[in-house]
Amino acid sequence: MKISILKNVLNEAIQHVSKAISSRTTIPILSGIKLDVNHQGVTLTASDTDISIQSFIPMEDGDQTVVQVEQPGSVVLPAKFFVEIIKKLPSQEIHMEVKDQFQTFISSGATEIQIVGLDPEEFPVLPNIEENQVISVPGDLLKNMIKQTVFSISTHETTPILTGVLWNLAEGELKFVATDRHRLATRSAHLETSEGLRFSNVVIAGKTLNELSRIIPDQNMLVDIVVADNQVLFKVDRVLFYSRILDGTYPDTSRIIPTSYKTELIVDTKSLSESIDRAYLLSREEKTNIVKMQSLENGGLEISSSSSELGKVREEVTVSKFEGEPLKISFNSKYMLDVLKVIDSEQLTIAFTGIMSPIILKPADSSNALYIILPYRTTN
Amino acid sequence: MKISILKNVLNEAIQHVSKAISSRTTIPILSGIKLDVNHQGVTLTASDTDISIQSFIPMEDGDQTVVQVEQPGSVVLPAKFFVEIIKKLPSQEIHMEVKDQFQTFISSGATEIQIVGLDPEEFPVLPNIEENQVISVPGDLLKNMIKQTVFSISTHETTPILTGVLWNLAEGELKFVATDRHRLATRSAHLETSEGLRFSNVVIAGKTLNELSRIIPDQNMLVDIVVADNQVLFKVDRVLFYSRILDGTYPDTSRIIPTSYKTELIVDTKSLSESIDRAYLLSREEKTNIVKMQSLENGGLEISSSSSELGKVREEVTVSKFEGEPLKISFNSKYMLDVLKVIDSEQLTIAFTGIMSPIILKPADSSNALYIILPYRTTN
């Protein structure tokens, strides 16, 4: 293998694939990035077995020559050093040559580097996914759906299936569900899909979805998604992102979502968020995060918290619509703030069915998202 | 105590004094901020016994009424909660009232807060420093002198005196020295001082100097410094910053600074810094940080490092002036990078007296700073 390549392009591809590198891998070859060079361009691959990322650099980008190939070939280079040194090379032009026993020589300006490379044959082969069922999702929508659900996953490894987000697709509706048993987040969106395309019980690790989000560019482009037996493939521009589907059956959460409410009210999302944030500051000192919410006779909503050592916070939030019975409930304010941070509608509907029933939160202007928080049982 | 006060002004004063709050204090009153209100304004004080900071808020700022005092008085409020809640209050206007047993009521917009206050009589009294020996230093010069020396202090509590920076003043020259026994940094500056003003062996903790730097504003204003028996007082605008002087005698470092050199060369600071940074990346993987520097027959300077597992880096840096014997030396590249980061001259003089003697670094265009790094004894 012998090539010349532009530093910024190589660096960008390295940044993409390096998200799949685990610093704690026990398999030496997986601490490396594989480079494959042919006359079409350079392909970089990294994998931690749960996630694999591949990024392709074509020979040319528009009018610009990006890669010049003198000799095709492959090598695996230790990721940690390779990632950092490429970023810091002095010149845009980088020459790379692999010699005997995968010794790799890199030069740029007055810098000469020799890296002990590894045998590319030892690198795991990526899953072969048949692309007969492809759905396309706008990148910003996908990022938003991830952001609006992934915070509710469980972090306990005792229930591995709950550390993922459930994806279901039926009749053109893609739906995400995440729960840690104390709270639940759902978000759905209508997509243009080919008729009859559907899947269920596709559970993808929250960690993986966060990495995927970072790879999706801010410019709005389509992400192609292919679901196979135990793998999902995301195609983002020239990056292929493979993720394992978590084993197991996701619990049925449909029963815990109430369908009728005793109380329903609409408030301004920002006002509520700021009020609960102040009450949270105090409740945090008690390490309980408990905040109380109750309707007032004047039609307002009182948010309060108290700490035996520190004092009290009392807030009043204006309610723009109130229907049903008076309300009084205590909850984990951290969970509530997590929801308020990701709801992107100006007005928010809060619904209750009783003091010990879940609190429902949803955007006032849309039915595409719904959040549930279990209340605290308190004595006063 | 009963006042109205503007949120942004109170918040700014809180930010200043809160730098003196230690999160690990065992003395409950020191986890608080003291407020003293009289008809001149509001004074905030915080202290961790090593550092004390006081910030004064006058009644008016230009045309703007900042504080309205209905009733003077004092209270101590728990810093952690007070700092955060003031930042997040909904309105610019804040009302504060201290009632029985230092219960403090704060209101702003629709927010009402009650804080359990503490008795201000329990708060330690600040040292009384006579201001008969004042030196004035431009804020940006003082920040720079701190930055250019403080990184060389020792972090080992076994030699407490070396965890500080030594300050000496004689004949209008203020000089800072810091060393951890492996490296040394000195920086001096000429000041306009009243005749005969001098001090020596004033050692101020590096941690304290970093906090002081954060309080000095970017607009260039004079910082007044008063040195007393065991305290230094820094006056930065309306903020008084008191620091304890470290106990003990700072070692005499003058003997270890060579006065004649066998080799002297001048290089571009940025080129050298970038080259050593790349060699450092590799040496870091070996956990030694050892980088080698040697003069080449072609007149250049070679920077190199090698790792048995990873490979090699070789760099060539252009030398603009070379005098004396050939040079070959190994050193801790992290120490060298620390110096290169703070030297603000474009060209740098490197001087040596022999393979096992210290390496000297200084700005090529000035004699106000000098850095020493001890070499590594290596076999090849």
Side-chain angles (χ1 to χ4, degrees):
Chain A
M1 180 188 132
K2 190 172 178 187
I3 58 167
S4 298
I5 188 166
L6 291 184
K7 175 178 143 180
N8 58 349
V9 180
L10 177 59
N11 192 40
E12 197 190 352
I14 289 177
Q15 297 308 317
H16 285 147
V17 302
S18 65
K19 293 188 175 61
I21 305 251
S22 160
S23 54
R24 291 167 306 173
T25 182
T26 51
I27 310 164
I29 195 83
L30 293 185
S31 63
I33 293 175
K34 185 165 71 128
L35 283 82
D36 291 298
V37 174
N38 61 26
H39 287 291
Q40 272 72 58
V42 180
T43 304
L44 275 70
T45 312
S47 175
D48 70 356
T49 67
D50 284 340
I51 306 176
S52 303
I53 304 177
Q54 196 160 71
S55 182
F56 176 67
I57 304 169
M59 306 291 274
E60 273 151 28
D61 188 7
D63 289 346
Q64 195 178 33
T65 301
V66 174
V67 189
Q68 283 173 294
V69 175
E70 209 165 305
Q71 171 88 52
S74 297
V75 71
V76 174
L77 297 176
K80 200 176 157 210
F81 177 62
F82 184 58
V83 167
E84 298 199 43
I85 198 74
I86 295 295
K87 243 189 287 182
K88 295 192 166 171
L89 287 179
S91 153
Q92 261 303 316
E93 208 174 316
I94 300 177
H95 305 283
M96 292 183 70
E97 184 175 0
V98 180
K99 294 189 178 169
D100 281 356
Q101 298 195 308
F102 306 106
Q103 286 289 331
T104 303
F105 294 82
I106 300 175
S107 68
S108 172
T111 301
E112 291 165 18
I113 296 158
Q114 183 182 342
I115 304 183
V116 180
L118 298 169
D119 185 353
E121 293 295 323
E122 287 177 28
F123 204 83
V125 176
L126 291 193
N128 197 359
I129 293 184
E130 278 193 45
E131 303 194 10
N132 41 20
Q133 293 211 321
V134 181
I135 62 168
S136 294
V137 184
D140 60 347
L141 172 63
L142 183 59
K143 275 212 257 196
N144 226 1
M145 291 181 73
I146 293 172
K147 187 183 80 179
Q148 292 179 333
T149 50
V150 77
F151 66 89
S152 287
I153 61 164
S154 168
T155 52
H156 292 288
E157 289 299 331
T158 48
T159 49
I161 195 78
L162 295 186
T163 63
V165 175
L166 171 68
W167 291 31
N168 281 327
L169 176 73
E171 285 152 31
E173 193 189 44
L174 179 65
K175 186 172 180 184
F176 288 11
V177 177
T179 182
D180 65 0
R181 296 191 197 277
H182 302 286
R183 54 179 165 174
L184 177 139
T186 70
R187 172 73 159 89
S188 54
H190 280 281
L191 304 175
E192 300 283 326
T193 57
S194 50
E195 214 178 319
L197 186 55
R198 57 189 303 137
F199 54 73
S200 60
N201 201 49
V202 170
V203 185
I204 306 170
K207 192 175 143 282
T208 302
L209 293 173
N210 285 328
E211 296 294 357
L212 176 65
S213 268
R214 277 182 214 122
I215 279 180
I216 299 171
D218 286 332
Q219 312 88 297
N220 202 11
M221 52 171 62
L222 284 177
V223 177
D224 284 347
I225 305 172
V226 191
V227 175
D229 278 354
N230 58 354
Q231 289 276 341
V232 189
L233 166 60
F234 301 91
K235 298 167 87 172
V236 187
D237 196 17
R238 288 177 188 134
V239 179
L240 303 183
F241 187 109
Y242 295 81
S243 166
R244 198 166 65 81
I245 293 175
L246 294 188
D247 294 329
T249 304
Y250 203 86
D252 179 13
T253 57
S254 62
R255 289 164 306 138
I256 68 165
I257 301 175
T259 47
S260 66
Y261 313 120
K262 288 191 183 161
T263 309
E264 212 171 334
L265 55 93
I266 294 180
V267 290
D268 179 74
T269 309
K270 188 159 171 279
S271 305
L272 182 68
S273 180
E274 291 175 355
S275 285
I276 292 182
D277 195 24
R278 287 185 287 263
Y280 158 71
L281 278 185
L282 193 82
S283 69
R284 190 180 58 180
E285 298 297 313
E286 295 277 286
K287 302 201 194 318
T288 62
N289 294 344
I290 296 178
V291 164
K292 214 160 79 182
M293 185 189 270
Q294 70 178 103
S295 52
L296 297 172
E297 299 217 341
N298 68 10
L301 187 66
E302 185 189 73
I303 309 292
S304 64
S305 66
S306 66
S307 147
S308 52
E309 280 185 22
L310 270 182
K312 289 173 194 162
V313 171
R314 191 189 160 278
E315 299 274 338
E316 216 172 305
V317 178
T318 308
V319 174
S320 57
K321 194 182 139 195
F322 191 99
E323 275 176 10
E325 298 177 7
L327 114 89
K328 184 173 173 182
I329 202 156
S330 296
F331 52 86
N332 183 327
S333 51
K334 186 71 180 56
Y335 288 176
M336 183 71 90
L337 288 172
D338 284 347
V339 173
L340 293 169
K341 249 180 262 170
V342 299
I343 280 193
D344 46 16
S345 66
E346 280 182 31
Q347 300 257 299
L348 174 79
T349 302
I350 305 178
F352 300 82
T353 56
I355 188 157
M356 284 317 298
S357 302
I359 311 165
I360 318 288
L361 301 162
K362 47 190 185 179
D365 58 0
S366 156
S367 60
N368 67 16
L370 186 141
Y371 301 92
I372 294 181
I373 296 168
L374 292 188
Y376 270 119
R377 195 182 297 267
T378 54
T379 44
N380 60 333
Chain B
M1 181 187 132
K2 190 173 180 186
I3 59 167
S4 299
I5 188 165
L6 291 184
K7 174 178 141 180
N8 57 350
V9 181
L10 176 58
N11 192 39
E12 197 190 353
I14 289 175
Q15 297 309 316
H16 284 146
V17 302
S18 64
K19 294 188 174 62
I21 306 251
S22 159
S23 54
R24 291 168 305 174
T25 182
T26 51
I27 310 164
I29 196 83
L30 292 186
S31 64
I33 293 175
K34 185 165 72 131
L35 284 83
D36 291 297
V37 174
N38 61 26
H39 286 291
Q40 272 72 55
V42 180
T43 304
L44 275 70
T45 312
S47 175
D48 70 356
T49 67
D50 283 340
I51 307 178
S52 303
I53 305 176
Q54 195 161 70
S55 182
F56 176 66
I57 304 169
M59 305 291 274
E60 273 151 29
D61 187 9
D63 288 346
Q64 194 179 34
T65 301
V66 173
V67 189
Q68 283 173 296
V69 176
E70 209 165 306
Q71 172 87 51
S74 297
V75 72
V76 174
L77 297 176
K80 199 175 156 212
F81 178 62
F82 184 58
V83 167
E84 298 201 42
I85 198 75
I86 295 296
K87 244 189 285 183
K88 295 193 167 172
L89 287 178
S91 151
Q92 262 303 319
E93 208 174 316
I94 300 177
H95 305 282
M96 293 183 69
E97 185 174 0
V98 180
K99 294 189 178 170
D100 281 355
Q101 299 196 307
F102 307 106
Q103 287 289 330
T104 303
F105 294 81
I106 300 175
S107 68
S108 172
T111 301
E112 291 165 18
I113 294 159
Q114 186 182 341
I115 304 183
V116 180
L118 298 169
D119 184 354
E121 294 294 324
E122 287 177 28
F123 204 84
V125 177
L126 292 193
N128 198 358
I129 291 183
E130 277 192 48
E131 303 194 10
N132 39 21
Q133 292 211 321
V134 181
I135 61 168
S136 294
V137 184
D140 60 348
L141 173 64
L142 183 59
K143 275 211 258 196
N144 225 3
M145 292 180 74
I146 292 172
K147 187 182 80 178
Q148 293 179 333
T149 50
V150 76
F151 66 89
S152 286
I153 61 165
S154 169
T155 52
H156 293 287
E157 289 300 332
T158 47
T159 47
I161 194 79
L162 295 186
T163 64
V165 175
L166 170 69
W167 291 30
N168 282 326
L169 177 72
E171 285 151 35
E173 191 188 47
L174 179 65
K175 184 172 181 183
F176 288 11
V177 177
T179 181
D180 65 0
R181 297 190 196 277
H182 302 286
R183 53 178 165 175
L184 177 139
T186 70
R187 172 73 159 90
S188 55
H190 280 281
L191 302 176
E192 300 283 324
T193 57
S194 51
E195 214 177 322
L197 186 54
R198 56 190 301 139
F199 54 73
S200 59
N201 201 48
V202 170
V203 185
I204 306 171
K207 191 175 143 282
T208 301
L209 293 173
N210 285 328
E211 296 294 358
L212 175 65
S213 268
R214 276 183 216 122
I215 279 180
I216 299 172
D218 286 332
Q219 311 88 298
N220 200 12
M221 53 172 62
L222 284 177
V223 177
D224 285 346
I225 305 173
V226 191
V227 175
D229 278 354
N230 58 354
Q231 290 276 340
V232 189
L233 166 60
F234 300 91
K235 299 167 86 171
V236 187
D237 197 18
R238 287 178 189 134
V239 179
L240 303 183
F241 187 109
Y242 295 80
S243 165
R244 198 166 67 80
I245 294 175
L246 294 188
D247 295 328
T249 304
Y250 202 85
D252 179 14
T253 56
S254 61
R255 288 165 306 137
I256 68 165
I257 300 176
T259 47
S260 65
Y261 312 121
K262 288 190 184 163
T263 309
E264 212 171 334
L265 55 92
I266 294 180
V267 291
D268 180 73
T269 309
K270 189 159 171 278
S271 305
L272 181 68
S273 180
E274 290 176 355
S275 285
I276 292 183
D277 195 24
R278 287 185 288 263
Y280 158 71
L281 278 185
L282 193 83
S283 68
R284 190 180 57 179
E285 298 298 313
E286 294 277 285
K287 302 202 193 321
T288 62
N289 294 343
I290 295 179
V291 164
K292 213 160 80 182
M293 184 187 271
Q294 70 179 102
S295 51
L296 297 172
E297 299 215 342
N298 68 10
L301 187 66
E302 184 189 75
I303 310 292
S304 63
S305 66
S306 67
S307 147
S308 52
E309 280 185 23
L310 270 181
K312 289 175 193 160
V313 171
R314 191 190 159 278
E315 298 275 339
E316 214 172 306
V317 177
T318 308
V319 173
S320 57
K321 192 182 142 198
F322 190 98
E323 276 176 9
E325 300 176 8
L327 113 88
K328 185 174 173 182
I329 202 157
S330 295
F331 52 86
N332 183 328
S333 52
K334 185 72 180 55
Y335 288 176
M336 183 72 87
L337 288 171
D338 284 347
V339 172
L340 293 170
K341 248 181 264 169
V342 299
I343 279 193
D344 45 18
S345 66
E346 279 182 31
Q347 300 257 297
L348 174 78
T349 301
I350 305 179
F352 299 83
T353 55
I355 189 158
M356 284 318 298
S357 303
I359 310 166
I360 317 290
L361 301 162
K362 47 190 185 180
D365 58 1
S366 156
S367 59
N368 67 17
L370 185 141
Y371 302 92
I372 294 180
I373 297 168
L374 292 189
Y376 270 118
R377 197 184 295 266
T378 54
T379 45
N380 61 333

